[in-house]
């Protein structure tokens, strides 16, 4: 009989080790899944903010583009329907259109703000026969200010005494 008792104890000891290792694997799996879920949630949150910023930037650009197109249409109508040149120049000045005259024609330039840091620049070329677009692009609305306050090591060795 004593022999039989030892067999039961061996079986119970083996079963306990198997339950413990299964629990450790299960805890590890749940921990990994939880970490991946949190990382996925954070990534989705960042992607949503980025998508919103992109949509806002596109909306602002196309709003400025629409205003620039309206201004372009008003300029076309003005240039080809104006009775005299003095009236035309006065109306361009009232529309805040910069005029640069050359021997061959006139450059017309205006900017439409996109946001705080960008503007849509439109430059046109006008001769007696035609009006054409030279540039239509987004530019920086303000000058860059370089921060040169960072002290960079110039390679000299400083002796501390």
């Amino acid at each position: 009989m004593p022999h039989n008792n030892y067999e039961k104890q061996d079986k119970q000891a083996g079963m306990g080790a198997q339950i413990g290792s299964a629990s450790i694997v299960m805890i590890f799996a749940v921990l990994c899944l939880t970490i991946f879920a949190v990382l996925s949630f954070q990534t989705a949150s960042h992607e949503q903010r980025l998508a919103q910023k992109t949509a806002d930037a596109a909306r602002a650009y196309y709003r400025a583009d629409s205003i620039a197109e309206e201004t372009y249409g008003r300029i076309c109508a003005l240039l080809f329907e104006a009775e005299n040149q003095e009236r035309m120049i006065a109306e361009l000045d009232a529309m805040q259109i910069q005029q640069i005259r050359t021997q061959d024609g006139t450059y017309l330039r205006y900017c439409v703000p996109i946001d705080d840091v960008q503007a849509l620049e439109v430059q046109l070329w006008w001769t007696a026969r035609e009006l054409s677009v030279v540039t239509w692009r987004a530019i920086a609305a303000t000058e860059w200010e370089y921060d040169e306050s960072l002290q960079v090591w110039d390679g000299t060795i400083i002796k501390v005494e």
Side-chain angles (χ1 to χ4, degrees):
M1 258 297 188
H3 182 63
N4 199 5
N5 235 353
Y6 290 121
E7 289 178 13
K8 286 182 183 179
Q9 286 178 353
D10 287 343
K11 287 182 184 179
Q12 288 175 351
M15 292 174 82
Q18 291 175 355
I19 292 174
S21 62
S23 297
I24 291 173
V25 169
M26 183 62 75
I27 290 170
F28 181 72
V30 169
L31 184 64
C32 287
L33 290 174
T34 303
I35 290 170
F36 288 142
V38 169
L39 290 174
S40 296
F41 180 74
Q42 284 182 335
T43 301
S45 176
H46 290 296
E47 290 292 328
Q48 195 249 346
R49 282 192 298 245
L50 179 62
Q52 187 62 45
K53 284 182 181 181
T54 303
D56 292 344
R59 193 176 300 113
Y61 175 83
Y62 285 113
R63 188 179 310 118
D65 186 63
S66 176
I67 293 169
E69 285 284 351
E70 289 173 9
T71 304
Y72 178 72
R74 290 182 14 219
I75 291 171
C76 287
L78 177 66
L79 293 179
F80 296 111
E81 295 173 4
E83 294 100 29
N84 61 25
Q85 190 158 355
E86 290 81 26
R87 182 175 167 265
M88 179 186 61
I89 291 171
E91 288 192 36
L92 286 173
D93 286 338
M95 292 170 58
Q96 297 179 344
I97 308 296
Q98 182 182 8
Q99 305 164 42
I100 303 168
R101 293 179 190 9
T102 65
Q103 292 177 344
D104 300 329
T106 304
Y107 285 102
L108 304 173
R109 181 183 179 273
Y110 61 97
C111 289
V112 178
I114 296 173
D115 53 25
D116 294 342
V117 295
Q118 284 187 320
L120 186 62
E121 176 191 46
V122 178
Q123 189 171 7
L124 309 171
W125 173 248
W126 177 56
T127 63
R129 296 175 305 225
E130 69 176 327
L131 178 67
S132 59
V133 176
V134 177
T135 59
W136 194 291
R137 64 182 177 176
I139 60 169
T142 58
E143 284 291 320
W144 284 92
E145 294 181 18
Y146 298 105
D147 182 15
E148 296 180 6
S149 62
L150 181 64
Q151 297 295 323
V152 181
W153 182 56
D154 62 359
T156 59
I157 298 174
I158 300 172
K159 292 184 180 180
V160 179
E161 294 180 25

